[in-house]
Amino acid sequence: MKRTGLALIAAALAASPALARPDYTPREAVEIANAAWTRDAVLYQINTRQFTSEGTFKAAQAQLPRLAAMGVDIIWLMPIHPIGEANRKGSLGSPYAVRDYRAVNPELGSEADFRAFVNEAHRLGLKVILDWVANHSAYDNPLTLSHPEWYTRTPEGALMSPQGTDWSDVADFDYSQPALRQYMTESLAYWVREFGIDGYRCDVAGYVPTDFWETARGELNAIKPVFMLAEWEQRDLHTRAFDATYGWGWKEAMQRLVKSGEGAGPIRGYYAGQQETWPHAAMRMVYTENHDQNSWDGVAAEIYGPAYEAAIALSFTGSGLPLVYNGQEADNDRQLKFFERDPIVWREGRHAALFAKLIALKTASPALHNGRFGAAMIEVPTSQSADVYAFTRGPAGARVFAVFNLSPRPHRITFDKARHHGTYTNALSGETTTFAGNETLDLPAWGYRIFTETR
């Protein structure tokens, strides 16, 4: 008996896996496992040159107990390597112009000093990551002579800086060279294996091929679980290479709404895009200041003005991995110089207590944890949604409820849904509040409230 056409098709499918029905089961976009200690981590960036009056590892080490008490978890050190002299910018040069990837800048101290810094950080429960410059080196890095084939060349055959930049003090690497990839990966492994550091912040990570980072991550994880932060904003970096990427879109949205006074729209759009297009497990670093943009009384005050505290608070309560830049807690009053010595003047800043409370809140609230460990943001509509952004995070009984007036206009707010109903404690003042319907909330311009649910 002849088989029907359908039977023939079924038989062909069964005999040929290539023609089999595709698997529609969702796959995890992030394949790497995050170290357990990244769950509620808060980053603290140190510019060692400016962090203390001495500008050394020894002097910075003396401040580690204060940072541990503040509640931060991961210390990010700007590049610690010897700095190139050829084409140097300023009298001391940029720490991102690396002359030797396996040595310590003697201006900051010795290898023994650095080892002591890492050991003391670990004793206090802190992790240490290094800033790594894989895309380019100083023009007088010995690699330019021993391995000239590792560098990108102009049409005339000369070393060249990365295209489209003003980085005249650095020469661009050519990552089509397998030996360069091996050298750079082994250099990354060196600091993890020999000094026990806990990972890297990777400078202009998108300028380096993603497959290099994926291979390097595997090599590092074979030594110990590490944390990797990419200075880039690209989803596929999270697949097999990086725990975290820069949330530049968050900073841009905040700066736009402050400058324009248009209300909450830009930040609502950022969070919507984050939830719709980025994997939930992807940690996105959010910040108000870093080494490219710093000083409370200067740049930050100009950009954020009276919205500065609200921006800081939102960076800790919205989805994201928050960063504190050295000197923020002391209300550093100027933009730090980059190529010269310019030590922070330490004092008790008016925002020090706010940082400590927000860090404690993030640590104590699983809903606010990072990436895969935290909860999604659920918007709570209000009567002033054009200006006000309100949301909850976490399951009933363990929610964080936050309300931000992201405008220069004061508002009396009512709530349109019951998504937030419950009894809460004001996370910053300690007062108890119940939301059961028909409540109003008065917020000044740029005002905010953060509540934690009371069982």
Side-chain angles (χ1 to χ4, degrees):
M1 176 182 282
K2 293 184 179 180
R3 289 192 282 181
T4 65
L6 287 176
L8 288 170
I9 293 172
L13 288 173
S16 176
L19 296 176
R21 188 178 180 86
D23 181 6
Y24 293 106
T25 305
R27 294 186 296 273
E28 290 293 335
V30 177
E31 298 177 12
I32 58 170
N34 309 113
W37 46 266
T38 66
R39 177 182 298 270
D40 59 350
V42 173
L43 282 162
Y44 188 95
Q45 183 186 5
I46 289 181
N47 180 343
T48 310
R49 177 185 284 172
Q50 319 297 22
F51 189 56
T52 62
S53 58
E54 300 87 347
T56 63
F57 297 127
K58 277 188 177 180
Q61 182 178 327
Q63 290 215 39
L64 289 177
R66 177 183 67 80
L67 297 180
M70 183 180 173
V72 300
D73 304 282
I74 301 174
I75 305 299
W76 154 19
L77 294 176
M78 284 174 60
I80 65 166
H81 310 296
I83 296 171
E85 296 183 7
N87 302 336
R88 174 174 280 193
K89 293 187 175 184
S91 64
L92 296 179
S94 167
Y96 293 88
V98 176
R99 197 170 73 232
D100 187 343
Y101 285 94
R102 300 186 190 181
V104 165
N105 183 352
E107 297 171 29
L108 308 179
S110 66
E111 287 190 359
D113 295 334
F114 175 65
R115 190 183 303 277
F117 178 93
V118 174
N119 290 343
E120 176 64 4
H122 287 168
R123 188 187 71 81
L124 293 167
L126 301 169
K127 304 296 183 181
V128 178
I129 65 172
L130 294 185
D131 210 325
W132 195 261
V133 190
N135 178 69
H136 46 263
S137 78
Y139 271 93
D140 51 353
N141 188 307
L143 296 175
T144 61
L145 299 177
S146 61
H147 293 283
E149 73 279 9
W150 289 1
Y151 287 86
T152 308
R153 301 283 171 167
T154 67
E156 293 74 31
L159 294 173
M160 59 181 286
S161 299
Q163 293 189 63
T165 74
D166 62 355
W167 305 341
S168 57
D169 55 343
V170 295
D172 191 59
F173 278 126
D174 176 5
Y175 270 82
S176 69
Q177 300 293 318
L180 167 62
R181 291 174 174 235
Q182 180 180 351
Y183 167 83
M184 196 63 71
T185 303
E186 290 175 350
S187 297
L188 287 161
Y190 169 79
W191 295 96
V192 176
R193 184 179 58 250
E194 300 300 325
F195 292 85
I197 70 154
D198 303 290
Y200 292 95
R201 177 269 187 187
C202 300
D203 187 61
V204 287
Y207 281 20
V208 177
T210 301
D211 66 320
F212 163 79
W213 294 121
E214 292 177 342
T215 300
R217 176 62 182 263
E219 293 292 313
L220 297 177
N221 273 357
I223 303 171
K224 65 184 288 188
V226 294
F227 168 79
M228 300 288 283
L229 165 65
E231 189 201 17
W232 209 249
E233 199 164 21
Q234 186 172 314
R235 287 182 299 178
D236 64 357
L237 289 174
H238 289 275
T239 304
R240 287 180 292 274
F242 289 95
D243 300 84
T245 52
Y246 269 51
W248 282 319
W250 185 92
K251 177 176 65 72
E252 291 163 359
M254 283 300 301
Q255 292 177 357
R256 171 184 158 183
L257 69 86
V258 171
K259 183 177 181 179
S260 68
E262 66 191 272
I267 203 67
R268 179 179 286 110
Y270 168 81
Y271 284 124
Q274 172 71 21
Q275 189 157 317
E276 292 289 340
T277 65
W278 287 78
H280 177 63
M283 301 180 190
R284 311 299 314 292
M285 190 186 78
V286 293
Y287 62 95
T288 53
E289 302 181 37
N290 76 348
H291 64 276
D292 290 328
Q293 179 187 86
N294 70 84
S295 102
W296 177 80
D297 197 36
V299 174
E302 178 182 343
I303 292 174
Y304 298 104
Y308 185 52
E309 286 193 13
I312 292 172
L314 185 56
S315 75
F316 278 85
T317 52
S319 61
L321 172 70
L323 168 72
V324 181
Y325 181 65
N326 59 190
Q328 269 193 281
E329 71 272 36
D331 296 348
N332 177 49
D333 61 0
R334 68 192 185 286
Q335 184 163 14
L336 300 176
K337 295 177 182 177
F338 205 70
F339 309 117
E340 312 291 342
R341 288 276 292 123
D342 187 19
I344 297 166
V345 177
W346 287 100
R347 54 180 172 266
E348 185 65 27
R350 64 174 180 168
H351 294 109
L354 175 63
F355 277 115
K357 287 182 178 180
L358 290 171
I359 293 171
L361 172 65
K362 182 177 181 67
T363 302
S365 305
L368 302 185
H369 289 177
N370 300 317
R372 70 173 82 245
F373 304 114
M377 300 171 69
I378 307 298
E379 184 167 4
V380 178
T382 76
S383 57
Q384 303 292 336
S385 287
D387 284 351
V388 174
Y389 188 60
F391 58 90
T392 65
R393 296 184 67 186
R399 288 174 293 187
V400 172
F401 172 41
V403 188
F404 286 83
N405 179 9
L406 298 175
S407 81
R409 298 167 285 276
H411 286 297
R412 171 162 289 182
I413 303 158
T414 59
F415 300 95
D416 299 338
K417 303 289 183 182
R419 298 173 183 175
H420 63 298
H421 285 185
T423 300
Y424 295 83
T425 299
N426 187 309
L428 301 182
S429 70
E431 299 170 354
T432 300
T433 303
T434 298
F435 293 96
N438 300 319
E439 294 85 13
T440 61
L441 191 64
D442 291 321
L443 287 180
W446 310 113
Y448 63 94
R449 300 287 186 275
I450 305 168
F451 305 95
T452 56
E453 194 163 18
T454 305
R455 292 182 182 273

